[in-house]
Amino acid sequence: MAPTTALTADQANARLHELTVVDVRTPGEYASGHLPGAHNIPLDHLDTALPSLRTAADRSDLLIVCASGTRSHQACRRLADQGITAATLTGGITAWTQLGHETHRLAGTRTSWAMDRQVRLAAGSLVLTGLIAGQRWNTARWLSAGVAGGLVFSALTNTCGLAKILAKLPHNQPKATDLDDTLTALAGSASG
């Protein structure tokens, strides 16, 4: 197993020119703003990208980025299991932007909501639906109870099943050509 490390936003900014940055958020999240030169490989597609990531890691240090640091930490553990050394950005893009570091946006693309915002909308909508439907059908209240239980489980385990489901929606998926182009770029260049 390869070691994993963490870099603060300031440390990463100072070394950005020598790092290969991989953003593991959904394409919509990535389009809303990402580190300069970052390559987008959603967490769900990490296994497909392993050969390209191994090649890139042989040339320069990898920095894995997400919104808060949770998904990037998961990605770093998965990469470490494959013998690929990578660092996670502590606090993710949230910490990066709070410190005023530069971000890039994809020109001409419609930005999607951040995954945590999508989760809040879906969970809140399901709870509200369960409560309203529960006025007519008592068993509908179980929907609200199920979502509440899922949120508690999510907090206790630091995982999110609803986010995994939402990540599979079409607006959160990369186009095959985009992913192929990203993998080719990673295999052929040290940094973006």
Side-chain angles (χ1 to χ4, degrees):
M1 179 185 286
T4 60
T5 59
L7 295 176
T8 66
D10 286 334
Q11 290 170 327
N13 187 50
R15 295 186 53 206
L16 195 58
H17 64 282
E18 64 189 53
L19 298 169
T20 298
V21 181
V22 177
D23 193 318
V24 295
R25 296 177 298 157
T26 66
E29 291 175 293
Y30 173 81
S32 69
H34 54 271
L35 272 67
H39 300 277
N40 184 221
I41 301 176
L43 186 60
D44 290 351
H45 297 275
L46 196 64
D47 292 337
T48 303
L50 285 174
S52 297
L53 290 169
R54 187 179 312 281
T55 301
D58 286 344
R59 285 192 302 265
S60 67
D61 292 340
L62 292 180
L63 176 65
I64 311 298
V65 179
C66 71
S68 66
T70 301
R71 285 178 279 177
S72 61
H73 181 71
Q74 292 171 3
C76 284
R77 282 195 328 242
R78 285 171 56 188
L79 292 172
D81 290 344
Q82 298 298 318
I84 301 171
T85 302
T88 184
L89 179 63
T90 303
I93 191 86
T94 302
W96 181 269
T97 56
Q98 285 175 345
L99 291 172
H101 296 304
E102 178 184 10
T103 59
H104 290 178
R105 295 180 188 268
L106 297 178
T109 59
R110 189 174 142 246
T111 60
S112 175
W113 286 358
M115 185 55 66
D116 66 320
R117 187 175 180 193
Q118 292 180 50
V119 168
R120 290 192 311 265
L121 175 68
S125 298
L126 289 169
V127 168
L128 187 59
T129 299
L131 291 174
I132 292 170
Q135 297 296 315
R136 181 147 165 80
W137 304 284
N138 283 336
T139 57
R141 291 183 182 151
W142 285 104
L143 175 61
S144 298
V147 172
L151 291 171
V152 169
F153 179 79
S154 174
L156 293 173
T157 62
N158 201 24
T159 62
C160 187
L162 186 54
K164 288 180 182 179
I165 292 168
L166 292 172
K168 295 186 184 310
L169 292 175
H171 68 275
N172 285 325
Q173 290 296 307
K175 295 179 193 124
T177 54
D178 293 345
L179 186 59
D180 291 342
D181 290 347
T182 298
L183 298 179
T184 300
L186 271 175
S189 68
S191 62

